Amino acid sequence: MTTTEPTPTTIVDAETISAYRRNGVTRLRNIITAEEAARFRDAAIAESGIASDYAGGSTIFNQYVNVWQQNDVLRELTLHPNLAAAATALAGVPLRIWHDHLLIKPPHNGAATEFHQDAPYWPHAGSRHALSAWVALVDVPVERGCMTFIPGSHDHQGLRAQDLADRDDLFRVAPDLRWGERLTIPLRAGDCTFHNAYLAHSATPNLTDDPRIAHVTIFIDADTEYTGGGHVVTDGLGLTPGQSLEHATFPRV
């Protein structure tokens, strides 16, 4: 994994691109400033209605999808030029936004997010590349629910969707991944990981007194076609199977 040191990120160098394509993940420091992270954190708290003393129980995480469509502040983050520039450089193809989401692990949350891939959940065909920009809006050390990846696992494509609550489900469909290297990446507020949509990843429980607050923008190949399958962001749009996702809900970047 290649790590860029703290500078606002608008261009990703060739070494970082090469490492990302080999491993399926890279960390970019300070993709947004600390001041931006604090502003977006406050907007996320207001949007989700969470409080710092909220007790989370065993819920894996709380998810809020397409916040960019209803929150003007978080829209700035979803459409942030640093995210779009880095994602485009890493993917190497024109991109559009699939959706964004806030992923919040409440305090004292005992549930891990088990190993899974993202792409099998999506009704997509013909995509050359898709990746997620996972931006930490608070510090995310291991004990607050940071992510662990299996580098190189993005070569396992065509798998069924996996159960995020079942620690063995991914390994039932891809037994060799059980023995793969693990890469755990804690983040400071304003840092970001980009991971390939087929890269297996998990997140630890949040054992701290504060919520783990992350904002994710998912970028997909601009030429991706809709398969007709159900999904919360395509249901009700009247899309036809086989058509491109050239729609206002999925803007090009």
Side-chain angles (χ1 to χ4, degrees):
M1 182 195 71
T2 298
T3 300
T4 62
E5 290 307 315
T7 53
T9 304
T10 55
I11 298 175
V12 181
D13 63 28
E15 181 182 359
T16 300
I17 294 170
S18 177
Y20 163 78
R21 293 184 185 171
R22 179 175 63 254
N23 296 324
V25 61
T26 193
R27 171 175 55 195
L28 300 182
R29 300 283 196 185
N30 289 354
I31 198 156
I32 59 174
T33 66
E35 292 76 17
E36 286 178 306
R39 178 168 173 259
F40 295 136
R41 175 205 64 207
D42 291 345
I45 290 172
E47 180 68 24
S48 64
I50 63 171
S52 62
D53 59 354
Y54 175 78
S58 60
T59 301
I60 295 176
F61 53 73
N62 298 327
Q63 181 182 35
Y64 305 87
V65 176
N66 272 346
V67 293
W68 73 276
Q69 295 183 0
Q70 59 243 8
N71 187 298
D72 290 340
V73 175
L74 293 173
R75 178 185 178 90
E76 295 176 28
L77 179 52
T78 301
L79 304 180
H80 200 292
N82 285 4
L83 299 182
T88 300
L90 293 170
V93 299
L95 299 174
R96 66 174 73 250
I97 290 172
W98 170 231
H99 66 78
D100 68 7
H101 49 165
L102 293 175
L103 296 178
I104 300 174
K105 275 187 180 279
H108 304 292
N109 174 289
T113 309
E114 302 296 350
F115 276 110
H116 65 283
Q117 301 169 309
D118 295 330
Y121 290 93
W122 303 337
H124 294 170
S127 176
R128 291 168 292 178
H129 201 105
L131 70 170
S132 292
W134 200 100
V135 182
L137 300 185
V138 296
D139 289 347
V140 186
V142 172
E143 60 270 22
R144 188 165 289 149
C146 78
M147 287 201 292
T148 295
F149 304 87
I150 303 179
S153 57
H154 54 305
D155 65 358
H156 286 60
Q157 300 186 14
L159 303 180
R160 63 162 172 79
Q162 302 102 41
D163 184 348
L164 279 65
D166 184 340
R167 70 179 62 184
D168 289 318
D169 197 37
L170 172 68
F171 306 120
R172 292 189 190 100
V173 293
D176 59 307
L177 292 182
R178 188 183 297 278
W179 311 107
E181 173 191 358
R182 273 33 170 198
L183 177 63
T184 299
I185 306 181
L187 300 175
R188 301 299 298 266
D191 293 349
C192 177
T193 56
F194 284 86
H195 69 266
N196 186 290
Y198 285 101
L199 191 73
H201 58 285
S202 66
T204 53
N206 180 5
L207 305 177
T208 72
D209 295 334
D210 298 301
R212 187 212 70 184
I213 305 174
H215 177 281
V216 184
T217 302
I218 302 171
F219 297 93
I220 60 173
D221 184 347
D223 293 333
T224 298
E225 296 178 351
Y226 173 59
T227 66
H231 192 280
V232 65
V233 301
T234 51
D235 293 349
L237 294 183
L239 300 177
T240 301
Q243 77 175 87
S244 75
L245 289 169
E246 197 69 53
H247 189 282
T249 302
F250 314 110
R252 289 178 178 254
V253 299

